[in-house]
Amino acid sequence: MKAKKAKLVAICVLSLLLVIVSACSNSGSPSNGSTNNGNSGAVNNGDTGTDTGNKDDGEVIDPMGKIDPPVEITAIRPLDSTTKFAEGESIENNAWNRLYEQEFGIKLKYLWVADTSQYDQKFNVAMVSGKLADIMPVNAIQFQQLVDADQLEDLSEALEKYGTEKSKLLLEKDGGVGLDSATFNGKLLGLPLASSYTDNAPLLWVRTDWLEKLGLPEPKTMDDVLAIADAFVNQDPDNNGQKDTYGLGVEKLFYGAVPGLQGFFNSYHAYPEIWVKDDEGKLVYGSIQPEMKEALAKLQQMYKDGLIDREFGVKDAEKIFQAVNSGKMGMFYGLMYAPLLFQDGKTNDPNMDWKAFPLPSIDGEVAKPQTPFTVGRYYVVRKGVKNPEAAVKMLNAFHYGWEDKYPPTEITQDGDIEKWHYALVTGSNPTQNLDMYVKVTEGLEKNDTSGFDAPGQNVFYDSIVKFREGDMSGWGYTRVYDAQKLLYEYNQNNGYQMTEYIAGPTPTMVEKDSTLKKMELETFTKIVMGEASIDEFDDFVSDWKKLGGDVITEEVAAWHKSKNGN
């Protein structure tokens, strides 16, 4: 029962964080839109559409203007079976479709709509048969297939001419990674929808009340981490006279979100499960690099010394949640939202406190937290469509403030009906939580929330004020805010190691990846638990290459070449 409850808490936390991450606005009053997959609810973000003035042969281009004469645009899309509609509305008949026609001269016609569980299969049939719609949402694999088949329209000119300043800004807020992933030989072949990359970066979390109790310094080096882990196991930090506390939290899947060992490996400049550049500029798989072996050897020693739970190989993340909330865990690597999972522990023991720290380094070189590729969807236009700017205008519409003409209850949310889902093309703000950190910091300094422009900012501000006034219910969000400060600083200093491979799975990845990753997990677990020599790592690397890794590396190299046109 406790495990189920912990899992439910985790799901609720993640759902809430998606709302906070994605509520996208710049000024004015936001609508109360919910979110999914990094999308944002349509809100008044101050984008009035007045950034006109782009000229084509003397013609003034209006990003928010009508296409004249009006056009019919066909589309297909996935739609979750749980999507709710108000009485009389449907995916074909709703305010978004009316908005497209009234504001942009775009009459939207759906060729078909499929449940999300069936969409991929139905889309693949349509792709093979050549019966593609004008505008389509696709995943990374489908996108690459359409690119290879030369079926997509170049949107470079359409975005440049018709994209509002807001749309262009948000597309660039992930450092341009999403746009880069959609660009081949100078042609923009899709509009990427990206979630936050910074929120996927691991940090080191430590029980600071135990540090203070044992007179230990905050961790700055890996030697500090090892000393803290040892003290948390052997110096009775919970003061119950028993040796029943854990040093470093590890769970059986190795690379989870909370906890996960990515941050530990990053401290050794190793980057498991992502692709990085070697000294020659070639893309290589991080899990098979020599730095991994050194880090695994250290984990093996920690396990031998009892600094890692002896039973970690059979314990999932929920067991770690329970250990933290019951006051038995002292340190782990994990994502920024971790404290929200441990509010119960804080309530049970008000003295319990956790703090996020930058990743310590094994040497003098700064450790970079790794981040994955976070584009989950592309909006693409079939090659040959006469008005490809229709897709760009729909993206503009999603980021535009429509309150005066279309109330939030019509296009954002009406009770429990999330109407922003009806929009064909949606957008996101990949750095929304970093923006939150800046806004909330300003608000706290000035004791003034008038500059807030997204719902999540008030959530954080109110929680921090509560906690500072002694209300423990605000602790979780306060510590997430503190973690965002670190992520903000990493971002300011180009401090992340993002995967260099920014595309969907290659054909051999689809075929072999699950087997290769299973072998990786099994081998590394045996090494850490002392059931295999550290030299088994070399055998793993050899087997990985033979069993498909070399072919995958060749496919990744071919992708890299196609991106650069050489």
Side-chain angles (χ1 to χ4, degrees):
M1 181 63 120
K2 288 183 178 180
K4 290 182 179 178
K5 181 180 179 182
K7 185 173 184 179
L8 178 61
V9 169
I11 292 172
C12 292
V13 167
L14 288 172
S15 299
L16 180 57
L17 280 167
L18 285 174
V19 175
I20 295 169
V21 167
S22 307
C24 173
S25 65
N26 191 42
S27 66
S29 301
S31 306
N32 294 319
S34 183
T35 61
N36 184 33
N37 293 332
N39 295 342
S40 61
V43 298
N44 181 351
N45 53 30
D47 190 350
T48 62
T50 57
D51 50 329
T52 59
N54 295 320
K55 296 186 177 181
D56 181 19
D57 297 329
E59 179 186 3
V60 175
I61 303 297
D62 182 1
M64 300 300 293
K66 283 188 175 182
I67 296 175
D68 188 20
V71 295
E72 180 178 271
I73 295 292
T74 61
I76 58 177
R77 64 172 293 169
L79 191 70
D80 193 280
S81 59
T82 61
T83 302
K84 296 181 180 180
F85 292 95
E87 184 176 355
E89 291 190 334
S90 66
I91 198 59
E92 292 86 10
N93 177 29
N94 59 71
W96 277 103
N97 292 24
R98 292 189 291 274
L99 184 156
Y100 293 149
E101 186 167 5
Q102 294 168 5
E103 305 299 331
F104 300 105
I106 300 171
K107 183 174 178 58
L108 184 60
K109 177 184 177 182
Y110 283 109
L111 299 183
W112 53 264
V113 176
D115 182 78
T116 50
S117 63
Q118 302 171 353
Y119 178 78
D120 289 351
Q121 181 179 359
K122 194 165 183 176
F123 177 86
N124 292 339
V125 172
M127 184 167 54
V128 171
S129 66
K131 297 179 180 179
L132 298 174
D134 296 335
I135 298 178
M136 303 163 284
V138 297
N139 63 32
I141 296 176
Q142 295 160 345
F143 177 62
Q144 189 64 48
Q145 291 172 332
L146 290 170
V147 170
D148 293 340
D150 193 26
Q151 291 293 306
L152 300 180
E153 185 69 23
D154 181 5
L155 300 179
S156 305
E157 184 177 3
L159 181 61
E160 177 59 30
K161 285 185 176 181
Y162 293 94
T164 60
E165 291 180 5
K166 189 68 176 182
S167 293
K168 294 176 184 177
L169 172 65
L170 291 173
L171 286 172
E172 290 280 359
K173 289 195 77 176
D174 65 348
V177 172
L179 287 174
D180 184 32
S181 75
T183 302
F184 292 80
N185 296 326
K187 295 181 179 180
L188 179 65
L189 300 180
L191 300 174
L193 180 67
S195 59
S196 171
Y197 61 98
T198 65
D199 287 343
N200 283 279
L203 298 168
L204 175 63
W205 291 91
V206 183
R207 269 201 69 161
T208 51
D209 61 311
W210 282 6
L211 287 182
E212 295 173 6
K213 182 180 295 184
L214 300 178
L216 298 171
E218 294 184 343
K220 292 184 172 60
T221 67
M222 284 306 293
D223 285 342
D224 293 337
V225 171
L226 300 177
I228 290 169
D230 183 271
F232 284 177
V233 169
N234 295 309
Q235 295 185 26
D236 193 22
D238 61 351
N239 202 34
N240 69 350
Q242 301 178 38
K243 190 175 180 180
D244 58 354
T245 50
Y246 303 113
L248 179 66
V250 179
E251 60 109 356
K252 65 180 182 180
L253 295 180
F254 248 62
Y255 305 132
V258 180
L261 284 172
Q262 297 94 317
F264 185 92
F265 287 110
N266 297 166
S267 292
Y268 285 78
H269 314 302
Y271 302 99
E273 293 200 313
I274 69 171
W275 291 79
V276 295
K277 286 183 179 179
D278 65 10
D279 293 339
E280 298 178 357
K282 297 178 181 178
L283 300 193
V284 294
Y285 186 55
S287 293
I288 65 171
Q289 303 312 304
E291 293 83 0
M292 287 289 293
K293 186 175 183 179
E294 181 184 2
L296 284 168
K298 183 55 66 176
L299 285 170
Q300 185 185 69
Q301 185 63 48
M302 292 178 70
Y303 181 85
K304 181 180 179 181
D305 293 341
L307 307 186
I308 295 172
D309 182 3
R310 296 284 187 184
E311 299 179 352
F312 87 86
V314 295
K315 290 186 176 180
D316 59 18
E318 290 167 346
K319 295 295 184 182
I320 305 298
F321 302 164
Q322 294 171 17
V324 172
N325 281 318
S326 62
K328 299 303 179 182
M329 181 66 66
M331 182 166 54
F332 62 85
Y333 289 85
L335 303 190
M336 56 89 193
Y337 64 80
L340 297 183
L341 297 168
F342 308 133
Q343 186 68 53
D344 285 349
K346 181 67 173 178
T347 301
N348 294 334
D349 178 8
N351 292 321
M352 184 189 86
D353 206 358
W354 287 85
K355 180 180 176 181
F357 294 91
L359 299 184
S361 174
I362 190 61
D363 53 30
E365 181 183 349
V366 174
K368 288 189 171 186
Q370 68 182 72
T371 59
F373 179 53
T374 58
V375 175
R377 178 182 297 177
Y378 297 87
Y379 296 100
V380 299
V381 176
R382 176 179 56 80
K383 190 172 184 178
V385 169
K386 184 178 179 181
N387 296 96
E389 71 273 14
V392 176
K393 285 179 175 287
M394 289 180 179
L395 180 62
N396 294 343
F398 196 75
H399 293 310
Y400 187 77
W402 293 107
E403 281 81 356
D404 292 341
K405 302 182 72 172
Y406 302 91
T409 52
E410 289 188 15
I411 63 172
T412 302
Q413 187 149 350
D414 185 7
D416 64 346
I417 302 177
E418 297 173 326
K419 296 191 173 184
W420 65 270
H421 279 299
Y422 308 163
L424 173 61
V425 179
T426 61
S428 64
N429 180 356
T431 63
Q432 183 64 35
N433 273 343
L434 300 187
D435 299 344
M436 174 280 298
Y437 167 74
V438 173
K439 288 288 187 179
V440 172
T441 299
E442 293 174 352
L444 292 170
E445 290 174 349
K446 299 177 182 178
N447 194 28
D448 179 10
T449 62
S450 62
F452 288 3
D453 51 34
Q457 294 166 10
N458 285 296
V459 172
F460 278 96
Y461 180 89
D462 292 343
S463 296
I464 294 168
V465 171
K466 284 182 180 179
F467 181 61
R468 290 180 176 180
E469 293 175 349
D471 185 341
M472 293 298 106
S473 67
W475 173 81
Y477 279 106
T478 300
R479 292 296 174 253
V480 174
Y481 165 82
D482 295 339
Q484 287 296 328
K485 178 178 185 294
L486 301 182
L487 298 177
Y488 177 83
E489 291 170 350
Y490 274 125
N491 202 56
Q492 290 293 100
N493 296 304
N494 192 29
Y496 296 105
Q497 176 61 61
M498 181 176 284
T499 181
E500 297 286 348
Y501 180 67
I502 50 175
T506 68
T508 308
M509 284 182 190
V510 173
E511 181 184 359
K512 302 286 189 178
D513 211 36
S514 60
T515 299
L516 294 176
K517 287 186 175 178
K518 180 181 179 182
M519 180 175 66
E520 178 177 334
L521 176 61
E522 290 176 349
T523 303
F524 290 1
T525 299
K526 289 179 180 178
I527 290 174
V528 172
M529 298 181 74
E531 297 175 3
S533 163
I534 187 61
D535 291 329
E536 288 289 321
F537 176 80
D538 300 323
D539 295 334
F540 157 73
V541 172
S542 178
D543 290 341
W544 184 89
K545 292 180 177 182
K546 293 176 184 176
L547 297 176
D550 277 345
V551 178
I552 292 174
T553 302
E554 291 172 1
E555 291 172 341
V556 169
W559 165 85
H560 194 227
K561 182 178 180 180
S562 74
K563 291 287 295 176
N564 294 283
N566 52 36

